[in-house]
């Protein structure tokens, strides 16, 4: 190895988390060769790193995706890890050791999954080895200079303090330290600093006082625009109706109530029942069960609920949904892009189920298709996450979680039915909410925060969690809601409302960002048991209550 390469290798050995982003093609090639040279029965996942200076001599090695073994680590025996696991410098892992997903092992820590016998009939060095193995759950942080002895199981979400000696099993969520390690507390009991109780009421008073100016700002004299200078859109008109209903309890003042109804109802195509964008033709039908795409697909929700808030409804059924048989629906569900487009799949189901709701409310029949939808969803939910679709290396669970919100909003939430595996959903959503690619450092946008807040709200209500405490992961949920609420309230811009945030329509304040963040703030506040301080409750697209009860036809 030449003089110029050696410092880089040493750098990656001690900082392996940088390798996937910073390695040259030559360094990637050398690392592949290093991984291939490991003996025993070994399989190493994607974007992993094994330090050149690590002594890795396994009988069996299964290193999950995005995991690494850092400088001077010593690994023998049988090691199996999940994804995102880290063995930091000078760690020792011997014997039979199984790690879950997201396990962090601090420097100079030893996991010793074997032991000597020490009967008095022979010297210790002649005693046979025994091995019960060590098992570590998901989302566990083991600090530096810790020793974990053979036979120990460490439950999910535990934190082990530096220097501890773990000789007994630790249940999930335990924070432990000492020699021998002793449980100190439950990790879910982490205290958070609450937002002052008056802040929510002050915010709501400000928003109500400025709602009229905000709506007038987005009226171009004939139609609504998301923000000054933007083109008029159907969604902007619908967002204006939602904001006025939420904050003022009335229709937007730029038009009389019956004129709002007339304009929105007249947009619906009488043949398909779909609502195109202003001045644009409907997209071409794509076969049986066509319910639009792009803006027309979302207008099933936004225009339908805007008319509902105005005391009216679509004048025509959504024909593609009315005429779709249960068999045709099942074929369409199987063909949705669950592998690489879970959000798109969830959005389609949201629109289909919402169209079915409008049709049923107006006396339509669906020949078992709605029941087929729920049967298919219940049978396809992943029992480990409660969700549908696959994560990706680029975005993590973003598509899956955002698709989950859209899917369940239109189906389970709208029809008042329980979601499958709610505890697993809470785990998956909270894990996603820690992803720095989408949360923290000003990277949050309205979609991503809403798509965490609503599933948490939906699942905690189903599980019977109390806002004041108790219930599944209540402390974690409350801590997340407190942080998001404290960040959201200052984003209000006087007379202009909220910007959506990075992505979408962008950070400039407008109707879409305002409508969504008003709903988000309600959900965050309600997760904390404080939504009554706002004096409003969403009744449109983002309503918390079901729009229907069950599957009565």
């Amino acid at each position: 190895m030449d003089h110029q390469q050696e410092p880089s290798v040493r750098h990656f050995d001690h900082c392996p988390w940088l390798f996937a982003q910073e390695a040259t093609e030559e360094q990637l090639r050398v690392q592949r060769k290093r991984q291939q040279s490991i003996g025993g029965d070994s399989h190493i996942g994607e974007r992993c790193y094994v330090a050149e200076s690590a002594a890795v001599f396994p009988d069996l090695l299964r290193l999950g995706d995005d995991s690494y073994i850092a400088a001077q680590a010593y690994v023998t025996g049988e090691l199996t890890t999940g994804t995102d696991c880290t063995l930091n410098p000078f760690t020792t892992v011997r014997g039979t050791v199984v790690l879950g997903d997201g396990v962090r092992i601090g420097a100079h820590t030893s996991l010793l999954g074997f032991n000597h016998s020490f009967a008095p009939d022979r010297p210790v060095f002649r005693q046979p080895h025994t091995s019960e193995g060590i098992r570590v759950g998901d989302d566990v942080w083991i600090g530096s200079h810790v020793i974990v002895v053979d036979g120990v199981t460490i439950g999910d979400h535990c934190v082990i303090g530096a220097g501890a000696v773990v000789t007994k099993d630790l249940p999930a969520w335990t924070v432990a330290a000492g020699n021998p390690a002793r449980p100190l507390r439950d990790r879910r009991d982490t205290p958070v600093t609450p937002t002052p109780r008056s802040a929510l009421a002050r915010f709501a008073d400000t928003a109500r006082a400025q709602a009229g100016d905000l709506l007038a700002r987005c009226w171009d004299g004939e139609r609504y625009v998301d923000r000054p200078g933007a083109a008029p859109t159907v969604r902007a008109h619908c967002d204006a109706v939602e904001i006025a209903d939420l904050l003022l309890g009335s229709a937007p003042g730029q038009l009389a109530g019956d004129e709002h109804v007339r304009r929105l109802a007249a947009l619906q195509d009488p043949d398909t029942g779909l609502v195109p964008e202003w001045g644009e033709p409907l997209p071409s039908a794509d076969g049986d069960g066509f319910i639009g795409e792009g803006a027309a697909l979302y207008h099933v929700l936004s225009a339908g609920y805007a008319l509902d808030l105005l005391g009216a409804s679509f004048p025509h059924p959504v024909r593609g949904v009315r005429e779709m048989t249960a068999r045709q629906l099942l074929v369409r569900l199987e063909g949705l892009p669950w592998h690489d487009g879970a959000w798109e799949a969830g959005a389609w189901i949201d629109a289909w189920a919402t169209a079915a709701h409008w049709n049923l409310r107006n006396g339509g029949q669906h020949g078992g298709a709605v029941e087929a939808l729920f049967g298919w969803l219940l049978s396809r939910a992943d029992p480990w996450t409660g969700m549908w679709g696959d994560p990706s290396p680029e975005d993590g669970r973003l598509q899956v979680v955002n698709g989950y919100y859209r899917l369940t909003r239109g189906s389970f939430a709208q029809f008042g039915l329980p979601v499958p595996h709610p505890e697993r959903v809470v785990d998956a959503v909270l894990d996603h909410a820690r992803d720095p690619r989408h949360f923290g450092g000003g990277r949050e946008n309205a979609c991503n925060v809403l798509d965490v807040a609503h599933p948490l709200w939906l699942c905690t209500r189903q599980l019977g969690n109390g806002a004041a405490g108790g219930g599944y992961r209540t402390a974690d949920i409350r801590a997340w809601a407190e942080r998001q609420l404290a960040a959201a309230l200052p984003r209000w811009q006087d007379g202009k409302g909220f910007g959506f945030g990075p992505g979408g329509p962008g950070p400039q304040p407008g109707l879409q960002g305002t409508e969504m963040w008003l709903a988000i703030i309600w959900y965050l506040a309600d997760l904390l048991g404080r939504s009554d301080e706002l004096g409003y409750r969403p009744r449109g697209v983002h309503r918390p209550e079901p729009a229907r009860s069950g599957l009565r036809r």
Side-chain angles (χ1 to χ4, degrees):
M1 184 172 297
D2 63 40
H3 180 71
Q4 289 182 330
Q5 283 184 312
E6 188 176 359
S8 294
V9 170
R10 288 204 301 268
H11 180 68
F12 288 136
D13 272 14
H14 287 269
C15 304
W17 54 88
L18 300 176
F19 183 77
Q21 291 78 33
E22 298 183 6
T24 65
E25 286 298 324
E26 174 61 17
Q27 289 165 338
L28 289 168
R29 185 191 65 78
V30 171
Q31 176 60 201
R32 285 193 294 269
K33 185 176 179 181
R34 163 71 171 128
Q35 294 178 12
Q36 291 165 2
S37 71
I38 295 173
D41 179 3
S42 61
H43 176 79
I44 297 177
E46 299 293 327
R47 298 171 303 282
C48 290
Y49 184 82
V50 180
E52 287 286 348
S53 59
V56 183
F57 308 116
D59 297 318
L60 179 146
L61 175 63
R62 296 290 183 269
L63 195 62
D65 294 347
D66 301 294
S67 299
Y68 61 76
I69 300 174
Q72 307 298 329
Y74 179 30
V75 178
T76 65
E78 299 184 358
L79 170 63
T80 301
T81 84
T83 60
D84 293 293
C85 289
T86 63
L87 278 64
N88 277 299
F90 299 96
T91 57
T92 296
V93 179
R94 304 190 66 195
T96 301
V97 177
V98 177
L99 309 180
D101 294 331
V103 176
R104 296 291 182 268
I105 300 176
H108 299 277
T109 283
S110 297
L111 276 62
L112 305 175
F114 73 103
N115 209 340
H116 281 284
S117 298
F118 53 93
D121 61 339
R122 72 190 81 173
V124 170
F125 77 92
R126 296 188 182 276
Q127 300 278 351
H129 286 173
T130 61
S131 179
E132 298 178 40
I134 293 170
R135 300 191 67 88
V136 179
D138 296 336
D139 180 36
V140 172
W141 176 20
I142 301 176
S144 297
H145 294 279
V146 171
I147 297 174
V148 182
V149 303
D150 188 37
V152 165
T153 294
I154 298 174
D156 295 344
H157 314 296
C158 286
V159 175
I160 314 300
V165 178
V166 185
T167 61
K168 296 181 180 179
D169 292 353
L170 295 172
W173 297 104
T174 299
V175 178
N179 181 7
R182 297 179 300 279
L184 302 179
R185 60 179 175 82
D186 189 302
R187 180 178 158 195
R188 292 167 292 188
D189 294 337
T190 301
V192 297
T193 303
T195 304
R197 290 191 62 83
S198 58
L200 284 169
R202 289 200 306 270
F203 161 76
D205 289 343
T206 298
R208 273 188 288 270
Q210 297 178 10
D213 292 339
L214 185 154
L215 294 169
R217 173 178 179 264
C218 296
W219 173 254
D220 71 359
E222 295 183 7
R223 287 178 289 189
Y224 289 97
V225 298
D226 182 68
R227 55 191 182 276
T233 61
V234 174
R235 177 164 185 166
H237 193 152
C238 299
D239 287 336
V241 171
E242 294 247 12
I243 294 166
D245 181 85
L246 199 68
L247 296 178
L248 304 175
S250 64
Q254 285 69 37
L255 299 170
D258 57 356
E259 179 61 15
H260 282 290
V261 172
R262 188 195 68 77
R263 288 196 182 191
L264 291 172
L267 290 169
Q268 191 187 30
D269 175 59
D271 181 39
T272 64
L274 301 177
V275 177
E277 189 53 89
W278 291 110
E280 295 182 7
L282 282 170
S284 300
D286 63 350
D288 294 329
F290 179 64
I291 58 171
E293 57 187 30
L297 195 70
Y298 191 76
H299 293 163
V300 174
L301 282 63
S302 59
Y305 271 104
L307 285 167
D308 186 57
L309 291 173
L310 294 164
S313 62
F314 279 136
H316 310 288
V318 180
R319 183 166 62 87
V321 174
R322 182 190 63 186
E323 297 178 358
M324 182 179 271
T325 67
R327 183 180 297 274
Q328 289 170 335
L329 174 63
L330 295 177
V331 171
R332 177 58 67 91
L333 293 173
E334 292 288 351
L336 292 174
W338 298 106
H339 177 65
D340 56 2
W343 180 88
E344 181 183 343
W348 190 91
I349 290 176
D350 190 1
W352 192 97
T354 302
H357 160 61
W358 300 131
N359 290 354
L360 289 167
R361 197 177 75 166
N362 292 333
Q365 301 290 322
H366 283 294
V370 176
E371 290 83 351
L373 169 68
F374 285 100
W376 190 92
L377 291 173
L378 289 168
S379 67
R380 299 303 196 280
D382 180 357
W384 294 104
T385 65
M387 298 186 173
W388 298 266
D390 299 322
S392 72
E394 297 78 17
D395 294 323
R397 285 198 172 115
L398 181 66
Q399 284 264 337
V400 176
V401 172
N402 290 10
Y404 180 87
Y405 162 67
R406 289 296 305 273
L407 184 155
T408 56
R409 192 222 70 83
S411 57
F412 293 95
Q414 187 164 231
F415 281 76
L417 298 173
V419 298
H421 314 299
E423 291 181 345
R424 301 289 74 78
V425 172
V426 170
D427 289 339
V429 167
L430 286 174
D431 179 69
H432 166 66
R434 294 195 298 268
D435 190 329
R437 291 170 291 186
H438 314 301
F439 295 89
R443 288 180 287 274
E444 299 94 341
N445 65 37
C447 274
N448 293 348
V449 178
L450 175 64
D451 296 355
V452 170
H454 185 275
L456 290 178
W457 187 92
L458 187 65
C459 291
T460 54
R461 292 309 174 274
Q462 186 172 317
L463 291 166
N465 283 23
Y472 188 70
R473 298 196 66 176
T474 298
D476 292 328
I477 293 167
R478 286 175 57 84
W480 182 83
E482 283 280 6
R483 290 193 298 271
Q484 291 298 327
L485 193 59
L489 295 181
R491 294 180 182 137
W492 176 271
Q493 297 187 38
D494 284 338
K496 300 177 181 179
F498 286 109
F500 176 86
Q508 300 85 4
L511 295 179
Q512 181 178 338
T514 300
E515 185 273 323
M516 293 185 71
W517 281 108
L518 288 172
I520 291 165
I521 286 168
W522 185 90
Y523 278 105
L524 295 172
D526 206 61
L527 286 169
L528 299 169
R530 296 172 50 197
S531 59
D532 58 329
E533 297 176 44
L534 292 167
Y536 68 73
R537 188 180 187 92
R539 298 195 311 129
V541 171
H542 301 118
R543 58 183 294 154
E545 289 83 17
R548 299 191 64 78
S549 179
L551 296 178
R552 293 192 299 272
R553 288 187 283 164

